[in-house]
Amino acid sequence: MARNTALYFRLVEGKNLPAKDVSGTSDPYCIVKVDNEVVARTATVWRDLNPFWGEEFTLHLPLGFHTLSFYVMDEDTIGHDDVIGKISLSKDLIASHPRGIDSWVNLSRVDPDEEVQGEIYLELHIMQDQYRSTLHCHVLEARDLAPRDISGTSDPFVRIFCNNQTLETTVIKRTRFPRWNEVLEFDLRGIEELDPSDQMISIEVWDWDMVGKNDFLGRVWFPIEPLHKSPAVTGWFRLLPFGNTEEENGGKLGSLRIKVSLSEERILPSLYYQTLIQLLVESVQSPDQSDCNLLALLEEICSAESRQEVAVKLVKIFLGQGLAVTFLDKLNQREVNQTVDPNTLFRSNSLASKCMEQYMKIVGMPFLHEILKPIINRIFEEKRYVELDPCKIDSNRSRRISFKGSMSEHQILESSLETLRGYLRDIIDAILGSVEQCPSGMRLCFKQLHKRVEEKFPGPVYQDVKYAAISGFLFLRFFAPAILTPKLFHLREHHADPRTARSLLLIAKAVQSIGNLGQQLGYGKEQWMSPLHPFIQQSVGRLRDFLDRLIDMESETECGQISRTLFHPSITIKEGFLHKRKAEAVNLVTRFTFKKRYFWLSSQTLSYSKSPDWQVRSSIPVHRICAVERVDENAFQHSNMMQIISQDSEAQGSHIMYIQCKNVNELNQWLSALRKVSLCNQRLLPTYHPGAYRNAHWTCCLQSDRTVRGCSRTHLAVTLGDWSDPLDPDAEAQVLYRHLLLSKDVLRDKYLENTMNAEKPQCKGHSEKGKSIGIDIHCPMIYYIKQYSGPLFCFSYGSILPCKTPVVSH
């Protein structure tokens, strides 16, 4: 069984942080690490001991993890940043909170001896003869050790304690991936006389320092008694700290409010989910509108907390089946038919509303970026002071360098109105001129929605209802939220500063009013928005014409293509300037080895050129990518670097492209995007070299053979969770099954109360093969829900099991 692990965390805010600067304050930011690898960095909040970040991330970690750590740092313009404190959460601790962690946690002091990482490869076995027992410890290699020296490497050696004996390996200089291949022997005579706690072998890794004391890199230990009973102990072992010596300091270092949750799914083989997928497809394709189908059942059992997750998985399942528009039409038709007052249509967070919202985010995100990103970037760069509410005007914030002094309140209002009109004009023009750019799936979905609403609410009196239904999704749930919080839609790397945030809020309010067809103008409490009303009313008329053109499509059916990718090959998933290292730049000065290039990533190619407008492009086919990994800082003395390893069509050799990103967040975003599009490639590598091949050796493991096997594991499926996640029908079906499982009692009471005296069918799906995956097959009475056209799951002594074969009667 495969494992699907998703880790969600949100850094909300900090409080009572200590002052690290001479000004009596700090400039805090947070670094987030998963098993000592930096996965995120928040923005810096300047001169604030109670900072607010509000930044959230989701990570897909198929191989699991051990520790999630938050480090609070104080940014310094000169010199190294100061460490304020840290919070470490083990995987076991997070998993013990099924509903997640949402609390204030005190910061602890950072102890260098606790900051260990990496693994060591060992072979342990005991040799016995008539005279004595000898423990042979074969120390082969280690990988991903913590860097302790200023060069970004370490000088590691191993020190082993056993039976009052101490032996050491040689020191390997300047590497985090040492290879010793040494055998150390220990005489075990008399070990049984020692205290039981001392009857063990302790293996410690240290960084050798010429001056001062050596630095601790981690340890592993094994009791001797089990080694007598096993032929040998061999493998990679995770290095651990001496012990948990962290101190909370009674809150003296301040605290963080964090939200963390862990989702782990065991994914069965595909055949176990075929019945569930089949029932979902049948519930959509069937003309029956009754409540006796699986889609209606899911809608019934969804809680407010689970509706978002269920909506995402349903949309992705039907995208994979090529039935997303049909599925949404089915949900929307149910919602429209159940609505009595047209003013309440799609105003609640129903499953239909959530599914439409998620569909637009998944399919329409490149479209959104194309329309809004240039204008959003300009708003962030200009940082203009904009305010229409007289009660909130601050003349000091609008002060300009002039002989006339600061602006009056009237001047501020006039300037703000002019600025907002300019921004709104550009945004509305971009949206209303985007008919051809809008994805065909979204247009078809809106066309069918228009038809359903018109059938339910015919006549001139309801003329605007069909327009409001579409604009409610497109403007109120898509464009307006993206304008208000660009970071959540990946339009910006960080949240807006207060001045820019206010501008975005006023723009979003106006866009919402346009999306509401101006129906609430003049009735709200915010009468100070009235100077924008003429522009809003003018835009409403243009909006109706735009929506008519948007749904003017000849096609009535969607494409039925099944694929793991979401986007057409021509759609750009990610783009931007990066620094590419020249292929043969060994003898060049470091600052001349990297050239700024503009990169485009689609589902088929990674291409680049000198500028966005440059006609000549070089490219790498995505299907030739074998690995996308980080590069050690000491390889080129640069941080935030990645490597793209690809093979030519004949697979005769590999090519490595080294790329530098501007910060760790951009690095993680590109790593994630490239891994997602290459996830199903045929020739993915299990290992790689984190260093570079320079001066006739690899800088990471010091091996001279250029073709030697990589010294570190690849992170093929470690990605950031976002709208570009590839389709995975098994994982998505497992989530839906989990929600059904959680509602088993409700389902049993409601759907089986009238069938207890019916025939007792036998499930052939839970045969002896079920034992291999831990399923309890001893079930004398198995029932299934008769209302369904086929079996979904079996009720067996309080458990619901996915069924892979039809249920038949005795």
Side-chain angles (χ1 to χ4, degrees), residues 84 167 255 286 296 351 368 438-439 490 520 565 615 630 646 758 801:
I84 295 177
L167 297 176
S255 56
S286 170
L351 184 61
L368 179 80
C438 185
H490 305 279
Q520 303 298 323
T565 58
Q615 298 299 319
R630 299 171 184 264
S646 60
L801 307 176

Side-chain angles (χ1 to χ4, degrees), residues 201-214:
I201 177 172
S202 176
I203 302 162
E204 300 176 359
V205 185
W206 291 81
D207 167 51
W208 178 83
D209 286 331
M210 180 179 295
V211 179
K213 66 176 184 177
N214 299 329

Side-chain angles (χ1 to χ4, degrees), residues 114 162 300 412 429 431 461 491 505 519 599 615 631 641 667 758 781:
E114 297 297 312
C162 182
E300 177 185 340
I412 293 174
D429 287 348
I431 294 175
V461 67
L491 291 167
L505 175 62
Q519 295 174 355
F599 282 78
Q615 298 299 319
V631 178
M641 285 196 62
L667 170 64
M781 297 199 313

Side-chain angles (χ1 to χ4, degrees), residues 695-716:
N695 301 322
H697 70 272
W698 288 99
T699 58
C700 46
C701 58
L702 308 181
Q703 298 297 301
S704 59
D705 183 0
R706 189 164 195 162
T707 61
V708 70
R709 187 173 183 269
C711 56
S712 185
R713 292 181 299 177
T714 52
H715 304 77
L716 300 173

Side-chain angles (χ1 to χ4, degrees), residues 512-739:
Q512 284 181 329
S513 296
I514 295 171
N516 279 322
L517 304 181
Q519 295 174 355
Q520 303 298 323
L521 291 183
Y523 295 98
K525 297 179 180 179
E526 299 172 342
Q527 293 300 315
W528 42 265
M529 289 284 290
S530 58
L532 286 175
H533 289 179
F535 177 86
I536 292 172
Q537 297 212 347
Q538 180 186 2
S539 299
V540 168
R542 297 174 60 198
L543 173 60
R544 293 189 181 92
D545 176 66
F546 163 73
L547 296 178
D548 286 333
R549 289 184 288 114
L550 191 68
I551 63 175
D552 184 14
M553 297 179 64
E554 295 181 0
S555 174
E556 292 285 346
T557 58
E558 61 185 314
C559 175
Q561 180 181 4
I562 299 177
S563 172
R564 286 179 66 91
T565 58
L566 293 173
F567 311 110
H568 189 275
S570 63
I571 292 179
T572 299
I573 298 173
K574 188 167 181 59
E575 61 182 304
F577 278 109
L578 299 170
H579 286 84
K580 173 186 172 294
R581 186 176 186 270
K582 288 187 175 181
E584 300 297 334
V586 177
N587 298 320
L588 293 178
V589 179
T590 303
R591 65 190 180 95
F592 295 122
T593 60
F594 289 87
K595 293 295 183 181
K596 191 175 184 180
R597 295 291 182 263
Y598 197 86
F599 282 78
W600 295 266
L601 175 65
S602 70
S603 61
Q604 289 194 344
T605 59
L606 173 67
S607 55
Y608 57 93
S609 67
K610 289 186 176 180
S611 69
D613 302 324
W614 200 263
Q615 298 299 319
V616 180
R617 297 186 184 183
S618 301
S619 64
I620 300 174
V622 164
H623 71 271
R624 294 185 184 176
I625 295 177
C626 304
V628 185
E629 298 294 334
R630 299 171 184 264
V631 178
D632 271 354
E633 186 172 338
N634 70 304
F636 301 105
Q637 303 305 315
H638 285 290
S639 58
N640 305 318
M641 285 196 62
M642 66 178 176
Q643 55 181 308
I644 302 171
I645 306 173
S646 60
Q647 290 183 340
D648 53 31
S649 56
E650 293 79 18
Q652 295 178 349
S654 61
H655 307 278
I656 304 178
M657 176 188 292
Y658 294 103
I659 294 176
Q660 184 184 22
C661 303
K662 63 182 179 182
N663 55 50
V664 68
N665 286 341
E666 184 180 65
L667 170 64
N668 286 321
Q669 290 163 12
W670 274 101
L671 285 171
S672 179
L674 286 162
R675 287 170 180 169
K676 287 177 183 178
V677 297
S678 59
L679 188 61
C680 297
N681 287 358
Q682 298 296 319
R683 293 177 292 187
L684 297 175
L685 298 176
T687 61
Y688 78 108
H689 288 284
Y693 192 81
R694 304 177 67 187
N695 301 322
H697 70 272
W698 288 99
T699 58
C700 46
C701 58
L702 308 181
Q703 298 297 301
S704 59
D705 183 0
R706 189 164 195 162
T707 61
V708 70
R709 187 173 183 269
C711 56
S712 185
R713 292 181 299 177
T714 52
H715 304 77
L716 300 173
V718 178
T719 58
L720 295 171
D722 58 23
W723 55 274
S724 64
D725 287 346
L727 303 180
D728 189 345
D730 294 341
E732 291 142 12
Q734 172 61 31
V735 172
L736 297 183
Y737 162 67
R738 169 166 53 83
H739 284 286

